[in-house]
Amino acid sequence: MSKRGDNLSNKNKRGSRRAATERSASGKSKKSSSKKKTTLKREGAPSPFWKWTKRFAVFGGVAALLGTVFLAFAVGFAARELPSFFQLKASQAGQTILVRARDGSEIVEIGPSFGEWLEFQDIPENMRNAMVAVEDKRFYSHYGVDPIRTTGAVVEGFTGARSRVGGTSTITQQLARNLFLSSNRTFDRKAREAILAMALEWKFSKEQILELYLNKVYFGGGAYGVDSASRKFFSHPGKTLSVAEASIIAGLVKAPSRYSPTADVQAAVDRAAVVLRLMKEQEYITSDQASVDVDAVQLKQQAGQNSVRYFTDYVLPQLDIILPETNAPLEVWTTLDVGMQRAATAAVASNSPDGAQGALVSLDRDGAILALVGGTDYVESNFNRATDAMRQPGSSWKLFVYLAALEAGYTPEDKVVDTPVTIDGWSPRNSNGRNVGETSLRTSFAFS
């Protein structure tokens, strides 16, 4: 009994150990399986990069949707507030500015010149095509803003291909700016310009927009609209413009003063050639029409203008800085002395050799301009050499140096020393390459 009981007890113990071993193995197996599942689950999980990419995509999509809704509301509201087509036709662009001298006398009156309003069908087709070709080749396909042109300009700005982002305005944007805005280059103004352009496209047809534009755009010399420009430059109505004449007028919009045929015939001809090339590339004209001789165009003879226009060209742009936006007539009082301006004009004319230009500026002690002449003939060349020419001042600065010395208490007999000097790596020299050492202010000035 005792032995049999011991055997049973041993069997039970061995059975218990086997069961425990099996349970242990089963537990390990389950744990191992659990680890594998966990490992597999971790391997299939998305990386943080894709998580953030997805979030940015969702946020970007929502932002784009909200932006589109906001833009649609803004454009719709602007379109509802726009004047009617007939009201815009009746409104005049530009303003009259009366410029006076320091004694109150009238110097010049500058104001807009309007010709006959030309209906869309009365504007020569070549004139319409020339303007579209040079200013906005996708005019008939965009909705006020040209995304291709805008994107290209932004890319060029970021890549450094151009020094600034510009040249992105469509014809509709230009019309919006001319009708409702100033020419300030600010982001806020460009945004309003874009919204107003889309509103114009929403409310008016392409034909109406082009009709408004061609009758209101500024072509220089006070001429607003195609008919006024045609009469000013070619002495005939705008309805009879030739291909060559249309190319000259279309080329003026970019820079009316620079490409004016009355100021620089060659510049106007060169610009017209660009317009004709673009018209040919866009298949508005044939190769024969593109090779037209714009030199043969008969320009209207212009009477000579007083040199005071150099002064007004310099002064009037400063009104944008000191005055708020306004289309009201202005009366501008200046510091110009009429007698001194007349003497300055005569001095430049008498001291400029044939074919050469000259310039003169006379300032009061407080810096006020008393006389300013930028060339010998404003009609021949309206380039202002007094304010825009980049030339070495030469010995003219010596007058200011000696004047400053006298005002500081020096006398003509005081001694100064002429020795070599170097300023930030720059070493000025006398024309003869020598230095005279100690000398009097009087002698130094005499030999300057």
Side-chain angles (χ1 to χ4, degrees), residues 280-300:
K280 176 181 175 296
E281 290 176 357
Q282 298 171 41
E283 299 182 348
Y284 286 120
I285 58 176
T286 64
S287 298
D288 292 338
Q289 290 175 306
S291 61
V292 67
D293 184 10
V294 290
D295 289 313
V297 174
Q298 297 296 315
L299 294 172
K300 180 180 179 180

Side-chain angles (χ1 to χ4, degrees), residues 88-259:
L88 292 177
K89 281 181 63 175
S91 65
Q92 289 188 340
Q95 61 187 162
T96 300
I97 301 176
L98 178 61
V99 184
R100 296 188 182 277
R102 67 189 308 168
D103 62 358
S105 60
E106 180 180 326
I107 299 175
V108 66
E109 183 175 2
I110 302 172
S113 170
F114 300 95
E116 177 186 352
W117 185 277
L118 300 182
E119 304 291 337
F120 180 81
Q121 62 272 15
D122 294 329
I123 302 173
E125 184 178 12
N126 285 321
M127 184 68 250
R128 303 197 303 261
N129 293 340
M131 193 62 71
V132 170
V134 72
E135 289 296 317
D136 188 3
K137 67 179 181 181
R138 283 179 286 274
F139 171 72
Y140 291 105
S141 61
H142 64 64
Y143 297 96
V145 177
D146 187 348
I148 298 176
R149 196 171 179 180
T150 302
T151 302
V154 171
V155 170
E156 288 177 347
F158 276 112
T159 58
R162 292 201 317 204
S163 58
R164 65 175 178 83
V165 178
T168 62
S169 294
T170 63
I171 282 178
T172 317
Q173 286 176 273
Q174 293 179 46
L175 178 62
R177 181 171 66 244
N178 293 341
L179 291 175
F180 308 113
L181 303 171
S182 70
S183 296
N184 295 331
R185 295 180 179 274
T186 62
F187 178 80
D188 174 65
R189 202 271 297 160
K190 290 295 290 184
R192 286 187 292 155
E193 176 186 291
I195 291 173
L196 286 169
M198 288 185 278
L200 286 169
E201 294 274 353
W202 186 328
K203 188 166 185 176
F204 304 122
S205 67
K206 290 288 185 180
E207 288 75 16
Q208 288 177 315
I209 290 172
L210 196 56
E211 179 182 329
L212 286 170
Y213 180 79
L214 287 172
N215 279 283
K216 288 182 173 293
V217 68
Y218 183 60
F219 292 106
Y224 286 84
V226 170
D227 189 69
S228 178
S230 179
R231 295 175 189 275
K232 176 177 179 59
F233 299 123
F234 309 119
S235 300
H236 64 72
K239 293 181 180 180
T240 58
L241 285 168
S242 66
V243 177
E245 291 170 340
S247 67
I248 291 176
I249 289 180
L252 291 172
V253 176
K254 182 179 180 180
S257 61
R258 185 190 310 170
Y259 298 121

Side-chain angles (χ1 to χ4, degrees), residues 432-448:
N432 58 11
R434 299 191 302 270
N435 296 94
V436 298
E438 188 177 73
T439 184
S440 68
L441 201 67
R442 183 192 303 275
T443 304
S444 177
F445 182 75
F447 284 95
S448 286

Side-chain angles (χ1 to χ4, degrees), residues 317-443:
Q318 299 179 47
L319 295 177
D320 292 336
I321 302 173
I322 60 178
L323 292 179
E325 293 183 23
T326 177
N327 287 321
L330 295 177
E331 188 171 346
V332 181
W333 290 68
T334 70
T335 60
L336 192 79
D337 185 293
V338 176
M340 293 185 67
Q341 178 69 17
R342 191 178 299 113
T345 302
V348 170
S350 61
N351 290 280
S352 298
D354 292 341
Q357 292 285 349
L360 186 151
V361 179
S362 176
L363 303 178
D364 200 349
R365 291 179 65 88
D366 61 1
I369 298 176
L370 301 178
L372 187 151
V373 180
T376 56
D377 190 323
Y378 184 83
V379 173
E380 180 182 330
S381 174
N382 59 11
F383 178 68
N384 196 335
R385 293 159 189 82
T387 59
D388 298 332
M390 304 296 290
R391 290 187 173 87
Q392 291 284 358
S395 294
S396 60
W397 280 111
K398 296 178 181 179
L399 295 172
F400 300 97
V401 173
Y402 286 106
L403 177 61
L406 294 173
E407 289 181 333
Y410 280 76
T411 69
E413 302 307 324
D414 283 339
K415 300 296 183 181
V416 292
V417 181
D418 175 23
T419 57
V421 62
T422 298
I423 304 171
D424 293 334
W426 173 64
S427 302
R429 296 183 302 118
N430 292 321
S431 59
N432 58 11
R434 299 191 302 270
N435 296 94
V436 298
E438 188 177 73
T439 184
S440 68
L441 201 67
R442 183 192 303 275
T443 304

